[in-house]
Amino acid sequence: MLFEVPDCHGHLYGDHLLKATARRLQENKRQEDTLARIGGDEFIFLLHQISNKNEVSKSATRMLRAMEEPFDINGVELRLTISIGIAFYPDDAHDRASLVRAADKALYKAKRSGENDYAWVSPKSAFS
């Protein structure tokens, strides 16, 4: 899964918001999964030991709900909307770089469908 946190209120608030976002995502992931910030306002989740793709939908929904609660950054209440792109190895890509590109493609698909949403690379990804 690839996440993007929008920029708001300038760099100072943005830096604090990114740190608070990372903490909240970390608190809401499964123990066996990996969270990494890959630059700017994007995060990647690597979901391990997935027995079915329904687990991915549950993880994405959990992350969307975790971001519904406002953040208090230096006394300013900030609300985020996030977009999530989902890609699977090896269904959607066969190497690391291609997998990130596939997740990014799905991320922009989620953005086009509206705020606070997730999308799969293709219908095959979602239901195979």
Side-chain angles (χ1 to χ4, degrees):
M1 284 189 265
L2 186 67
F3 296 83
E4 186 174 52
V5 180
D7 187 25
C8 60
H9 298 290
H11 292 293
L12 176 63
Y13 286 99
D15 288 345
H16 290 296
L17 183 57
L18 282 170
K19 290 176 185 175
T21 299
R23 279 191 300 274
R24 191 173 294 178
L25 292 172
Q26 186 71 28
E27 291 167 358
N28 284 282
K29 74 173 190 60
R30 301 178 317 163
Q31 179 82 21
E32 63 270 21
D33 296 337
T34 303
L35 170 68
R37 181 174 166 214
I38 60 168
D41 57 358
E42 292 186 338
F43 293 84
I44 283 188
F45 263 103
L46 300 175
L47 303 180
H48 303 282
Q49 301 173 355
I50 298 294
S51 60
N52 63 63
K53 293 181 181 178
N54 188 40
E55 289 180 54
V56 178
S57 291
K58 287 180 183 178
S59 288
T61 299
R62 185 172 51 252
M63 294 306 144
L64 290 171
R65 288 198 176 122
M67 293 296 117
E68 288 175 353
E69 190 69 29
F71 291 87
D72 182 329
I73 307 297
N74 297 332
V76 176
E77 185 177 284
L78 300 173
R79 294 186 176 272
L80 289 185
T81 57
I82 64 170
S83 300
I84 302 171
I86 301 170
F88 292 94
Y89 175 84
D91 295 355
D92 299 318
H94 298 288
D95 60 68
R96 187 179 331 152
S98 297
L99 190 61
V100 171
R101 281 193 303 274
D104 200 44
K105 178 181 174 185
L107 170 71
Y108 284 97
K109 186 176 175 182
K111 284 181 174 190
R112 284 191 306 273
S113 72
E115 303 292 321
N116 289 325
D117 201 4
Y118 65 90
W120 310 88
V121 173
S122 68
K124 176 186 166 202
S125 300
F127 302 108
S128 61

